[in-house]
Amino acid sequence: MLDRLPFLIGLRYTRAKRRNHFISFISLTSMLGLSLGVAVLILVLSVMNGFDHELRTRVLGMVPHVRVEARDSVTDWKTLAGQLREKPHVVGAAPYIEQQGMFTASGRNKGALVTGVDPQAEDQVSIISDHMVSGSLADLTPGSWGIVMGELLARNLGVGMGDRVTLLVPEASITPGGIFPRLKRFTVAGIFKVGADVDASLAYTDISDMAKLARFKEGDVQGIRLKLDDLFSADQVTHDIVSQLGSQYRGMDWKRTHGNLFAAIQMEKNMIGLLLMVIVAVAAFNIVSTLVMMVTDKHADIAILRTLGAKPGTIMGIFIVQGLTIGVMGIVIGAIAGVALALSVSDIIAWVQATFGIQFLDPNVYFISYLPSRLEASDMGVILGSALVLSFLSTLYPAWRASRIQPAEVLRYE
C-alpha cells in the first residue's frame, strides 16, 4: 500500500477540484502548451520527411544516380552497359546523349535539356513511363523525330500532342551563306508529369535521332546512366567504376548535381526540429510553476502525511506522479493531433488551394507542386521520448522542495 501511495495521491491531486482556480489554469495551460508543441513538431518533421522522400522518388527517379561518360564517345555501349550492371548496387543501365537547347513554338521560347534515350532500356533507370500523361516512350522511333516533354514545358510553349516544335542547339553550322544556328523540327509524341521542376526543363527523344543532331557516329553514345539500389552509395560506386575503367572515362553522381538539396533539407529538418523542441521544453517547464504553486497550496497535506510516517521519497513521488500525469496527458493529446494533421495535411492544403485559388508551391520555383507528408516512427519516438524526459525533469525541483518541508514548522500555526 505504501508503495502505491505516491500514485494514488498524485493521481487524486491531478483530478481534484482546487480552491485556487489559478493553479488549475496554469496546469491546463501547461498541458495544452505541451500538446501544441508536440503536435507542431510531429507535423513539421513529417512535412520535411515528405519533401525528402518526394525528392528521392520523383526527382532522383528522373535524374541519373550515376553517369559514366567517355572522353569522346562510347562506341560499344551495350558491352559497357552489361559490364556496369554486374557492379555492386547497380540495378539498371541505359545509354544517353544530352543536349542543351532552346525550344520555340507559336512565338514562345523555352530552354530545356533534351536527352536522347533508348526507349527499351530507359525504364531501367527512370520512372518516366509511370508518369506519362499522354503518349509513351515507345512512340519514339528512329527517324520519327518525335519528342516527349514535361507537362509544364509543353504548357509554356503552348503545344500538345502532334504539334511541331523547333529545337535550337547552341552549336553553329557554317554554310556558304554564313554561320547559322543548328535547328531541327520535332513532333510532340508524348507528355509526362512528375510533379517536380523537371516537368518544365526536360524532354526526351530517340537516341539515334539525337546522335544525328549532336553529330555522333552511328551507334556511338555520350555515356551510360546507372540506377542504384542504394542512393547514398553513389559516390563510392562512381569512384570504383572510374578506377576500373581507366582514365578515358569519367563519372558523376547525383550528389554533385542535386546533393545540396538533400543536405539543405536535412540541415533544415535538424534546425527546425531543434527550435520546435525549445517550444516543447518551454511548455514542459511550465509544469514547474504548476507544481511549485501546488506544493505551496498543499503544505498542510504534506505535513500531515509526514506526521503519519510518509518518507521524503514518498512525498517526492507524489508530485513527480502529478507532474508526469499532466505531461503524459499533454503528450498523448499532442501525439494524436500531430499524427492526424500529418496524415491529412496534404489533403487539407489541396482543398485550400482548390477552394481559394491559392498556389502555395509554384512548380516553376519549387521541386514539387504540393505539400507532401511522411510520418516516420523514428521521429515519433524521438519527439515523444524527449517530451517525456523534459516533463520528468520539470517535476524534480518542485518535488524535491515538497520533500524538504518540515511538518513541525507547517503545523505550528494550524
Side-chain angles (χ1 to χ4, degrees), residues 271-320:
M271 294 305 298
I272 291 175
L274 181 61
L275 292 175
L276 293 178
M277 188 57 73
V278 173
I279 298 177
V280 176
V282 171
F285 281 106
N286 281 338
I287 297 175
V288 175
S289 58
T290 301
L291 292 183
V292 166
M293 288 186 290
M294 177 61 69
V295 169
T296 303
D297 190 57
K298 298 295 184 181
H299 265 52
D301 293 3
I302 295 170
I304 292 173
L305 287 172
R306 289 295 307 277
T307 303
L308 293 174
K311 297 180 179 179
T314 302
I315 302 299
M316 191 172 180
I318 291 172
F319 290 96
I320 289 177

Side-chain angles (χ1 to χ4, degrees), residues 100-104 108-112 114 166-170:
Q100 289 282 356
M102 176 75 73
F103 282 107
T104 63
R108 302 180 182 181
N109 303 319
K110 185 67 177 178
V114 185
T166 302
L167 175 65
L168 287 79
V169 296

Side-chain angles (χ1 to χ4, degrees), residues 49-268:
N49 291 333
F51 274 105
D52 181 73
H53 180 263
E54 290 300 317
L55 280 175
R56 291 187 190 183
T57 56
R58 291 179 176 267
V59 177
L60 290 184
M62 301 292 288
V63 174
H65 298 171
V66 175
R67 292 187 296 176
V68 178
E69 298 179 356
R71 297 297 179 182
D72 297 320
S73 63
V74 178
T75 56
D76 187 4
W77 70 264
K78 292 184 179 180
T79 301
L80 179 60
Q83 294 175 355
L84 296 178
R85 289 191 188 97
E86 297 176 357
K87 303 296 182 183
H89 300 294
V90 177
V91 295
Y96 73 95
I97 299 175
E98 288 183 347
Q99 184 78 61
Q100 289 282 356
M102 176 75 73
F103 282 107
T104 63
S106 306
R108 302 180 182 181
N109 303 319
K110 185 67 177 178
L113 177 66
V114 185
T115 305
V117 299
D118 181 351
Q120 305 301 321
E122 187 62 17
D123 287 342
Q124 297 182 31
V125 298
S126 174
I127 62 171
I128 182 174
S129 296
D130 299 329
H131 296 275
M132 295 297 299
V133 176
S134 50
S136 68
L137 282 183
D139 297 329
L140 300 178
T141 56
S144 66
W145 296 100
I147 195 161
V148 172
M149 60 176 54
E151 188 264 343
L152 284 176
L153 178 58
R155 188 194 308 172
N156 292 334
L157 293 172
V159 298
M161 289 290 293
D163 291 339
R164 305 294 296 275
V165 295
T166 302
L167 175 65
L168 287 79
V169 296
E171 292 183 13
S173 298
I174 301 176
T175 69
I179 300 176
F180 294 94
R182 292 167 52 202
L183 49 87
K184 182 62 183 178
R185 297 273 285 178
F186 287 86
T187 302
V188 178
I191 295 175
F192 65 86
K193 183 178 181 181
V194 179
D197 71 331
V198 292
D199 290 345
S201 60
L202 198 60
Y204 294 91
T205 188
D206 184 78
I207 194 168
S208 60
D209 291 343
M210 180 55 70
K212 295 176 183 177
L213 185 63
R215 296 179 177 176
F216 276 74
K217 294 180 180 179
E218 184 177 355
D220 287 5
V221 298
Q222 181 179 346
I224 305 294
R225 297 194 298 172
L226 304 178
K227 182 178 181 180
L228 308 180
D229 58 3
D230 180 11
L231 291 175
F232 297 97
S233 65
D235 49 356
Q236 185 61 46
V237 171
T238 304
H239 178 269
D240 294 342
I241 289 174
V242 173
S243 298
Q244 294 176 12
L245 292 179
S247 59
Q248 70 272 25
Y249 289 91
R250 59 176 178 267
M252 180 177 293
D253 60 82
W254 66 270
K255 292 184 179 180
R256 296 189 183 181
T257 56
H258 293 78
N260 58 329
L261 293 173
F262 291 89
I265 287 180
Q266 188 61 43
M267 182 185 68
E268 290 174 2

